[in-house]
Amino acid sequence: MFHTILNIYDVFKPFEETVLREQKTYNGHLVDVVKMGENEYIDRLYSTDPFDYLNKDIYPFKRI
């Protein structure tokens, strides 16, 4: 088992692949977005509402 507070892409990222991160507002929520090639994925959600973390539209690693 491997446990770390770092993002999985920072630890196991292939050397030839560049990952870009930025903060965006997606569906009214502040999220960190990871760009890999032409695709964007939600990496982290910032919210104080517990129900936001149960929302299937903004879960981590969802392609947007």
Side-chain angles (χ1 to χ4, degrees), residues 8-11 35-36 40 42 52 56 59 61 64:
I8 191 168
Y9 296 114
D10 293 334
V11 177
K35 291 185 180 181
M36 293 191 302
E40 291 184 343
I42 295 176
D52 288 342
K56 64 180 180 175
Y59 62 90
F61 307 112
I64 58 173

Side-chain angles (χ1 to χ4, degrees), residues 1-2 10 25 27 29 42 44-45 55-56 58 63:
M1 175 185 264
F2 186 73
D10 293 334
T25 301
N27 287 345
H29 298 90
I42 295 176
R44 178 178 285 175
L45 169 66
N55 187 342
K56 64 180 180 175
I58 52 175
R63 189 171 139 197

Side-chain angles (χ1 to χ4, degrees), residues 5-62:
I5 60 170
L6 298 174
N7 188 308
I8 191 168
Y9 296 114
D10 293 334
V11 177
F12 295 111
K13 180 178 76 168
F15 292 108
E16 64 274 354
E17 186 173 327
T18 302
V19 177
L20 301 173
R21 286 187 180 78
E22 66 179 85
Q23 282 190 346
K24 284 188 173 183
T25 301
Y26 176 72
N27 287 345
H29 298 90
L30 183 63
V31 295
D32 281 349
V33 174
V34 175
K35 291 185 180 181
M36 293 191 302
E38 296 296 319
N39 297 319
E40 291 184 343
Y41 300 91
I42 295 176
D43 187 44
R44 178 178 285 175
L45 169 66
Y46 295 97
S47 178
T48 57
D49 184 359
F51 291 106
D52 288 342
Y53 294 93
L54 300 174
N55 187 342
K56 64 180 180 175
D57 293 330
I58 52 175
Y59 62 90
F61 307 112
K62 180 183 182 213

